[in-house]
Amino acid sequence: MEQTSLISIENLRVSFFTKLGEIKAVDNISYNIPKGKIQGIVGESGCGKSVSSFSIMGLLEEPGKIVGGHVHFNGRDLVGLSETEYAKIRGNELAMIFQEPLTALNPVLTVSYQMCEQIKKHKGLDDKEAKELAIEMLKLVGIPSPEKRINNYPHQLSGGMKQRVMIAMALSCDPKFLIADEPTTALDVTIQAQILDLIQSLQDKFGMTVQFITHDLGVISEVADNVLVMYAGKIVESGTTDELFHSPRHPYTKGLLSSIPILGNIKKELYTIPGEVPSPLNLPKGCSFANRCPFVSERCKQERPQLIDDGLGRTIACFHPIE
């Protein structure tokens, strides 16, 4: 485990045990996130992005279960912690911005109640001090008239304001590590840009380490220092954002980048990756991407490629990487 890594995931395996069988949602992944950096995770829906983050936060619910591996945070293994132990660090040292603020916020409680309960629990402040800090955080994330808005219920706020409240809640206890799980998905383009700018500026200000999850490569290119590409529960490629965008080596990464629409290009048909993601209940013997890959060989169908470091800071799981 690197000394500079705040988070180190080692051989993490997460399965969901259903009536139909075992679903391997996260299949033996390992990665590190350096302190003070933003790590992006991209991939199609169902590839394991969010499940890996819920595992870090200790928020996996039945029938999901961590069946192997380690999650080191600041040198401490979080796997196996009791809910009581997790409650001491969740919301305090570890925080998360959820994909849907509409469902993440309690509709029958005011913003003040939801923010102040967390602040009092983790920072030991009284009611007045907690409310003052909550108002300060709402002001920091750009909510107008925070002294009034703090007494609102979630339904009285717009989508963008609810997401800002979620960010204010996540940052109110000065977390060392923040997970942003598709925080701009439900927002219009203008508000998306504002939220991305906000997360970047706050990350710079507080020096947090961030794991940013999205299926939008355009968003990742704006915010992330490094990127992990996931497919069918596995990491298929990783590297710095610049390297990965300018010279993708895995055919899946290349396909994702080729699928991005180019502004003003109305003549060229939009590229799509052929085929479908294999069912997690019936993964192929070899490479999970083999049925969609233009470079597939017989070896790809029979053997599963391992994630290999190319010696230049890139990792690729492919028998026929793009040169």
Side-chain angles (χ1 to χ4, degrees):
M1 183 170 58
E2 298 177 13
Q3 292 294 317
T4 56
S5 296
L6 183 69
I7 288 281
S8 180
I9 309 299
E10 297 177 4
N11 306 119
L12 181 65
R13 292 186 291 120
V14 181
S15 289
F16 286 80
F17 296 91
T18 71
K19 292 179 180 178
L20 296 175
E22 180 183 358
I23 296 174
K24 295 180 179 179
V26 174
D27 191 5
N28 200 33
I29 67 171
S30 299
Y31 63 89
N32 298 307
I33 307 180
K35 289 182 180 178
K37 297 294 184 181
I38 298 180
Q39 174 110 294
I41 301 183
V42 298
E44 294 171 80
S45 297
C47 71
K49 305 186 302 294
S50 295
V51 172
S52 62
S53 294
F54 288 144
S55 301
I56 294 172
M57 295 295 296
L59 294 174
L60 272 178
E61 295 183 348
E62 291 291 341
K65 184 179 180 181
I66 295 176
V67 294
H70 305 277
V71 177
H72 293 286
F73 171 68
N74 243 359
R76 181 186 187 186
D77 193 354
L78 302 182
V79 175
L81 288 188
S82 67
E83 180 55 32
T84 302
E85 292 173 308
Y86 243 120
K88 294 176 182 177
I89 59 173
R90 191 193 299 125
N92 185 19
E93 296 181 76
L94 302 171
M96 187 167 181
I97 304 168
F98 294 92
Q99 183 174 348
E100 267 293 347
L102 188 64
T103 54
L105 292 170
N106 192 320
V108 299
L109 298 175
T110 64
V111 170
S112 175
Y113 184 89
Q114 294 184 65
M115 290 190 69
C116 291
E117 281 299 294
Q118 174 176 292
I119 292 170
K120 288 188 290 185
K121 176 181 178 181
H122 291 299
K123 297 188 79 79
L125 303 181
D126 60 29
D127 290 344
K128 183 182 177 183
E129 293 169 330
K131 190 163 187 176
E132 287 174 353
L133 177 57
I135 291 171
E136 184 182 325
M137 293 305 300
L138 292 178
K139 185 177 181 181
L140 183 67
V141 299
I143 289 184
S145 306
E147 298 86 357
K148 295 180 180 178
R149 287 296 186 182
I150 196 168
N151 296 314
N152 285 168
Y153 289 88
H155 74 270
Q156 296 174 293
L157 306 174
S158 67
M161 290 180 74
K162 280 196 278 279
Q163 195 60 283
R164 288 173 187 269
V165 169
M166 287 295 301
I167 294 171
M169 288 178 67
L171 299 181
S172 60
C173 295
D174 305 317
K176 295 182 177 70
F177 181 61
L178 174 69
I179 296 174
D181 186 5
E182 306 217 31
T184 61
T185 297
L187 307 176
D188 65 56
V189 176
T190 305
I191 303 300
Q192 276 189 27
Q194 293 174 4
I195 295 296
L196 292 177
D197 287 342
L198 175 61
I199 290 174
Q200 283 183 290
S201 64
L202 293 175
Q203 188 264 340
D204 288 338
K205 180 174 182 177
F206 294 109
M208 292 181 302
T209 304
V210 180
Q211 178 163 293
F212 197 103
I213 301 167
T214 183
H215 62 273
D216 190 331
L217 285 163
V219 168
I220 283 294
S221 68
E222 291 289 327
V223 301
D225 298 298
N226 304 292
V227 184
L228 301 176
V229 181
M230 290 190 69
Y231 185 81
K234 284 185 169 292
I235 297 170
V236 296
E237 184 170 4
S238 71
T240 67
T241 306
D242 286 343
E243 288 174 335
L244 196 129
F245 271 73
H246 288 106
S247 59
R249 301 207 60 201
H250 195 283
Y252 177 62
T253 310
K254 177 71 173 176
L256 287 178
L257 290 169
S258 300
S259 302
I260 300 174
I262 299 173
L263 190 64
N265 186 352
I266 59 174
K267 294 182 179 179
K268 187 178 179 182
E269 186 177 341
L270 185 64
Y271 176 81
T272 58
I273 301 173
E276 298 179 351
V277 180
S279 166
L281 284 167
N282 188 30
L283 291 172
K285 179 180 178 181
C287 175
S288 296
F289 191 61
N291 66 321
R292 310 175 74 186
C293 182
F295 309 113
V296 64
S297 67
E298 193 58 33
R299 183 185 182 191
C300 303
K301 297 176 183 178
Q302 299 301 322
E303 295 179 42
R304 184 168 290 183
Q306 300 302 307
L307 196 65
I308 296 173
D309 194 320
D310 68 357
L312 300 173
R314 300 280 291 277
T315 60
I316 311 104
C318 183
F319 295 128
H320 308 291
I322 300 166
E323 297 299 332

